[in-house]
Amino acid sequence: MDDHLWERTLDAVKEQVSLRVFDAWIKPLRPAGPVANDQIELLVGDPLTMDMVQKRYGAILESCLASEAGSHVQIAYRLAVKGSEAEVADRPEPPEQAAPAGTPRALDKSDNDPDGVSVDVVVNPLEGTGLDPRFSFESFVVGGCNQFVHAAAERVAERPARAYNPLFIHGGVGLGKTHIMQAIGNRVARTHPGLKVLYISSEKFMTEMIHSLRSQGIMAFKEKFRSVDLLLVDDIQFIAGKRATQEEFFHTFNALYETSSQIVLTSDSFPADIENLEERLRSRLAMGLVADIAPPDLETRVAILKQKASMVGIELMDDVAFFLADAIQTNIRELEGALIRVSAFASLTHKPITLGLVKETLRDLVKGHDKQVTIEAIQKTVANYYKLRLSDLLSDKRTRAYSHPRQVAMYLCKQLTSHSYPQIGQQFGDRDHTTVLHAVKSVEKKQAKDANLAEELESLRTMLRR
Ligand code: ADP
Ligand code: MG
C-alpha cells in the first residue's frame, strides 16, 4: 500500500482550494488507516466539520484521491473518538470571549513556534471582519419583541448556510438589527475560526464598489466579497434606486448563495416594501427567512436598561429604570442615550442616580410626560398645524395635502397614547387597523431621511406636551 497517498492527495487538494480553506477544513483530516477495498476512512473532529467537508470539499477530495491512487477510492467520513484519535481535532480552540476590537490576541508561542524561532504571530479573529465584539448574543436582551429574530439568528450562527439562507431582518430604527446581525458574526468568528466573516453596511458596499471601479480594482472587489463564508449586509434599503450597486450586489448574492455561503441582511422594511428595488433582487432577499424586530415592551426596555447600566458598572434602581423605560418607548438607542446622559450627570455632580436626578437631567425629554395626551387632542393639534379642518383630516380625501397630516396624526397617536391600532383606526373615521399600521410605518421610515418631517413631528410633540 502506498504510504504517501494521503500526503500526495493533500498536496493536490491544496492546489485547488484557498489556503484558508485548506488549513481550516482539509489539513485537520486524518485517514484512519490505509485504503482497503477501494475505500478510505477519514477521521473528522466534529459533526459540523464533517458536514462542511463532505458537502463543500468532498468532490474535490475524491477526485484528487482518485488521480493519486490511479483508481476511484470511496471516502467514508467518521467522527474521531476523543483521546486516541483526538489529534484530528487540532484546530485552534476558539477563545472563550471575543477579544475587544483592536486588542489582538497573541497565540501561545508553542502553537506556532515549533523550531524555537520566535515569531510574533498575532491573531485577532475579528480583524478585517468589520465586527464590534460588544454586539454579542450575550449582551442582547431577549423579549417578546425580538424572540423570533433572536432564535433565528442563533440557528444561523450555529449552522451557517444550513439553517436559513438568507436571513433577512427588518424593523424600525434603533431596535437592535445591527446588534443581532453582528452577534451572528461574532459568534461564527469565534466558533468557526475557519470561516471568513465580513460585516458591511450597504452604503459602504456601494462606496467600495465605486472606488474599485475608479481604481480599476473591480476584480479585487468581487473577489473580496465572493470569497467570504458569512456576509452580513446592514441597511440594505440604501441600495434602493442605485442601479449599478444593485446589479453588483445581485451577482455577489448569487455567487455566495451558490457556494453555500451564509448571507444575512437587515433593512428598515419588509422586502416587498423597499421602493425602487429591482424585482429579481427583491425576490432573492425574501427567499430565505424574513424576521422582524418589533419595538420592545416595557419589561424588555427595563431589562435592557439594567443590562446596559451594569455593563458600565452602574446599579439602576427599579423606579429609575421604569421611569426611563416609560419615557422612551420606541427606540433603544435613545433609551441608551438617556442612560448615558443620566450617568454622566450623576458622575459630574457626584450625586447618586435617583428618580429626582433623572427627572432633572431629562427635563426636556420627559416634560409633559405625566400629562395624558388624547387622540382628540392630537387630531386637533395636527389639523391646526397643517391648517386643515378637523373633518377634512378625518375624511376620505386622498390627496397628499390631507393624507400626509392624517398619517402624521395616526403616527403620533400610536406614539403618544396607549391605544391600539384598531382603536386609533376607529377614531379616524372607522378605518381599518392596517391603514393605521401602514401610516405609522411610513412615517417612521420617512422621518429618518426627511429632515422637514422630523422637524414637523418635533414641533407637534412639543405643542402636545404643553
Ligand atoms: P438598529 O440597527 O435596528 O437601528 P442597533 O442594533 O444599532 O439598532 O441598536 C441600537 C442600540 O440599542 C445598540 O446600542 C444596541 O446595543 C441596543 N439594543 C438594541 N436591542 C437590544 C437588545 N435586545 N438588548 C440589548 N441592547 C439592545
Ligand atoms: Mg443599524
Side-chain angles (χ1 to χ4, degrees), residues 358-374:
V358 172
K359 286 187 174 167
E360 193 184 334
T361 318
L362 305 178
R363 222 176 301 132
D364 48 334
L365 191 79
V366 297
K367 192 168 9 153
H369 173 64
D370 296 333
K371 187 175 149 195
Q372 271 300 322
V373 185
T374 61

Side-chain angles (χ1 to χ4, degrees), residues 135 139-141 146 174-179 308 332-333 336:
F135 295 133
S139 64
F140 190 81
V141 175
N146 56 28
L175 298 184
K177 299 184 296 296
T178 299
H179 188 141
K308 300 275 175 197
I332 298 171
R333 194 176 295 127
E336 241 184 308

Side-chain angles (χ1 to χ4, degrees), residues 59-368:
I60 295 179
L61 276 168
E62 286 209 2
S63 84
C64 291
L65 191 57
S67 56
E68 295 304 322
S71 65
H72 180 75
V73 178
Q74 181 80 30
I75 299 180
Y77 297 88
R78 178 160 73 76
L79 280 181
V81 182
K82 289 265 173 272
S84 59
E85 295 174 347
E87 61 187 314
V88 180
D90 64 355
R91 285 207 274 144
E93 276 295 310
E96 273 301 297
Q97 201 73 54
T103 47
R105 184 175 63 97
L107 279 182
D108 184 340
K109 289 254 169 60
S110 59
D111 281 357
N112 53 45
D113 187 17
D115 306 324
V117 186
S118 175
V119 246
D120 260 330
V121 180
V122 279
V123 175
N124 173 2
L126 300 187
E127 197 172 309
T129 59
L131 293 170
D132 180 337
R134 285 171 307 172
F135 295 133
S136 62
F137 280 113
E138 289 74 16
S139 64
F140 190 81
V141 175
V142 185
C145 55
N146 56 28
Q147 209 170 11
F148 180 62
V149 161
H150 176 262
E154 278 207 311
R155 285 282 290 163
V156 165
E158 263 163 38
R159 297 166 58 79
R162 315 263 311 158
Y164 312 111
N165 201 14
L167 174 64
F168 185 98
I169 301 168
H170 68 102
V173 179
L175 298 184
K177 299 184 296 296
T178 299
H179 188 141
I180 195 80
M181 168 183 250
Q182 288 239 355
I184 300 176
N186 278 310
R187 173 74 57 86
V188 171
R190 205 169 80 207
T191 55
H192 302 68
L195 297 186
K196 197 168 156 191
V197 180
L198 183 60
Y199 164 89
I200 192 164
S201 68
S202 74
E203 275 172 309
K204 184 135 185 281
F205 181 88
M206 182 171 81
T207 41
E208 281 194 18
M209 187 193 84
I210 293 168
H211 184 79
S212 78
L213 286 169
R214 282 207 198 110
S215 61
Q216 319 209 314
I218 190 72
M219 288 319 286
F221 174 87
K222 285 182 196 287
E223 171 57 23
K224 170 177 171 182
F225 288 96
R226 293 174 195 193
S227 65
V228 303
D229 301 291
L230 168 60
L231 180 64
L232 310 159
V233 184
D234 209 355
D235 291 318
I236 192 74
Q237 76 273 6
F238 284 120
I239 70 166
K242 318 275 184 348
R243 209 190 49 80
T245 311
Q246 283 190 53
E247 169 91 18
E248 183 56 37
F249 182 71
F250 177 77
H251 293 301
T252 304
F253 183 105
N254 288 344
L256 289 177
Y257 190 81
E258 273 156 26
T259 53
S260 296
S261 297
Q262 175 73 47
I263 303 158
V264 182
L265 305 142
T266 70
S267 165
D268 63 351
S269 42
F270 193 72
D273 293 338
I274 306 176
E275 284 162 26
N276 296 319
L277 198 65
E278 267 185 66
E279 210 40 55
R280 58 179 187 166
L281 184 54
R282 190 194 304 282
S283 68
R284 290 289 190 289
L285 299 184
M287 198 159 78
L289 182 72
V290 176
D292 80 316
I293 299 195
D297 54 29
L298 184 68
E299 283 70 33
T300 312
R301 295 199 299 277
V302 168
I304 291 173
L305 271 174
K306 292 205 156 186
Q307 194 244 31
K308 300 275 175 197
S310 83
M311 271 167 75
V312 289
I314 299 172
E315 218 209 316
L316 214 54
M317 308 308 263
D318 274 348
D319 58 346
V320 172
F322 273 95
F323 179 82
L324 283 174
D326 196 37
I328 302 161
Q329 306 200 343
T330 48
N331 183 326
I332 298 171
R333 194 176 295 127
E334 277 176 20
L335 200 59
E336 241 184 308
L339 178 67
I340 291 168
R341 265 168 74 187
V342 169
S343 61
F345 195 75
S347 95
L348 290 173
T349 56
H350 303 288
K351 288 182 185 164
I353 302 180
T354 58
L355 193 56
L357 178 117
V358 172
K359 286 187 174 167
E360 193 184 334
T361 318
L362 305 178
R363 222 176 301 132
D364 48 334
L365 191 79
V366 297
K367 192 168 9 153

